[in-house]
Amino acid sequence: MEKTLLDNLDRKRPLIDNITLSEDGPIPSFIDLNTGEYCNRKCTFCPRYDPSIYPNQHLYMSVSLSEKIADDLIQIGFNGIINICGYGEPLAHPNLSEIVHHLSKASHVEIVTNGDLLKIDLVTKLYESGLSQLVISAYDGPHQIPKFSKLMKEAKVTTKLYSIRNRWFSEEEGYGIKLTNRAGILSHDKAMNEPQRTCAYPHYSLTIDWNGDVLLCVQDWYKKLKFGNIFSDSIKNIWFGKKMNLYRKKLSQGRSCAGFPCVNCDADGLIFGKFHQQAWNKYLT
């Protein structure tokens, strides 16, 4: 696996693998937010490459929703990672710094970006708003590394507060990412679907869409499995609800038991969350 990918996983592991228990079960340690449905790129390994499969739309998370998410996370004692990445390019959001401002009151906030829209003023504003980490994916080549490094230095951001991931590799090399078929919406030659394999995504992570819908996981680009909406319910009620607990039980028995879309997914759902999955077993009898 490409070194910058491994380094990024190792950096996040202490926060994600830290289990905080409540009377209802482990609380999540990773929140994946989709703040918008627009991306300025069309990568061949992404569903947005084909507009008939996944078209660009200028739909963005409201600032009020981010405030509600932060309040809900504080209520349950969340102390993990809030990851702003999802299904689009986060820096395209017109009010991203305001969203970061609210979320940073709850916990550690990260943004994953392709870097195309980075500017010194924006970087400064994001960190002043409470951003903890910026993860920049360099898709065009090694020449982007000094460019991004120079920009971050001029914005007076230390190297501990950002990372640059090499993403310019060929298709044969897997593009330098952990390639998946996005729960079956894509197909690729390296797909290794194992329906009997368990998955821990819903044991440790929560995926929230731009409109407040809570999805099964970030791999589910179909977005057909929804467990509630943050506007009409709380993260606590949704996370500990019967519907999510049912899927936790099913996925602990294997993806084939969970049915669509999990049975079609080739993502390694055990990179994180194995300890959360074990802890949940005591609550899912």
Side-chain angles (χ1 to χ4, degrees):
M1 193 183 296
E2 198 267 319
K3 184 179 183 301
T4 57
L5 178 57
L6 285 173
D7 289 345
N8 193 52
L9 295 178
D10 289 341
R11 178 184 60 79
K12 296 191 295 186
R13 194 169 300 282
L15 283 169
I16 295 179
D17 282 347
N18 181 33
I19 299 177
T20 302
L21 295 175
S22 75
E23 60 181 10
D24 300 306
I27 68 171
S29 61
F30 191 80
I31 308 296
D32 206 311
L33 295 187
N34 179 41
T35 53
E37 282 297 316
Y38 174 81
C39 185
N40 61 302
R41 286 191 173 234
K42 290 186 178 180
C43 302
T44 56
F45 52 80
C46 176
R48 289 191 188 279
Y49 184 75
D50 185 347
S52 67
I53 296 177
Y54 207 95
N56 264 329
Q57 301 180 80
H58 287 283
L59 300 171
Y60 301 104
M61 178 176 287
S62 67
V63 174
S64 61
L65 176 57
S66 68
E67 190 171 10
K68 172 68 162 53
I69 291 170
D71 290 343
D72 281 5
L73 291 176
I74 291 171
Q75 181 190 23
I76 64 172
F78 178 81
N79 60 358
I81 296 175
I82 302 172
N83 184 57
I84 302 177
C85 181
Y87 308 100
E89 168 50 47
L91 298 190
H93 196 295
N95 304 114
L96 187 60
S97 60
E98 293 180 61
I99 286 177
V100 170
H101 169 71
H102 290 299
L103 296 174
S104 66
K105 296 176 183 178
S107 193
H108 176 107
V109 179
E110 298 193 357
I111 293 176
V112 180
T113 174
N114 59 37
D116 293 345
L117 304 178
L118 280 176
K119 297 184 183 301
I120 294 175
D121 290 348
L122 175 59
V123 171
T124 300
K125 194 171 184 179
L126 287 171
Y127 280 95
E128 287 178 346
S129 298
L131 182 66
S132 301
Q133 189 82 19
L134 188 66
V135 180
I136 307 168
S137 298
Y139 289 110
D140 296 338
H143 66 278
Q144 287 187 294
I145 293 181
K147 170 191 169 185
F148 290 137
S149 298
K150 181 175 181 290
L151 187 150
M152 299 301 285
K153 184 177 181 180
E154 291 176 351
K156 299 181 180 179
V157 179
T158 64
T159 55
K160 289 184 178 181
L161 299 181
Y162 75 93
S163 57
I164 302 173
R165 300 188 296 183
N166 305 341
R167 294 289 181 269
W168 56 77
F169 296 97
S170 66
E171 181 178 1
E172 291 71 28
E173 296 171 297
Y175 304 104
I177 67 172
K178 187 69 176 175
L179 202 64
T180 77
N181 65 5
R182 305 301 198 273
I185 200 170
L186 295 177
S187 61
H188 54 74
D189 294 338
K190 295 186 179 182
M192 295 180 65
N193 191 20
E194 300 174 273
Q196 76 280 4
R197 187 176 175 84
T198 65
C199 179
Y201 268 111
H203 295 81
Y204 77 94
S205 71
L206 193 67
T207 299
I208 304 175
D209 208 1
W210 67 274
N211 62 355
D213 285 341
V214 175
L215 309 176
L216 175 63
C217 80
V218 72
Q219 298 294 337
D220 181 18
W221 283 63
Y222 286 107
K223 298 184 181 181
K224 291 188 176 180
L225 278 177
K226 298 173 183 177
F227 295 86
N229 188 282
I230 304 300
F231 277 119
S232 57
D233 208 342
S234 69
I235 286 178
K236 180 179 180 180
N237 288 343
I238 296 171
W239 177 255
F240 295 113
K242 291 182 179 179
K243 192 171 182 180
M244 284 208 75
N245 281 341
L246 176 62
Y247 268 86
R248 290 182 184 114
K249 289 182 71 172
K250 288 181 176 180
L251 283 170
S252 293
Q253 298 165 354
R255 282 180 281 200
S256 59
C257 297
F260 177 86
C262 302
V263 70
N264 299 320
C265 182
D266 67 353
D268 185 349
L270 296 175
I271 291 179
F272 296 113
K274 287 184 284 188
F275 301 116
H276 284 79
Q277 190 180 67
Q278 293 169 7
W280 265 110
N281 288 337
K282 301 175 182 178
Y283 297 84
L284 300 177
T285 56

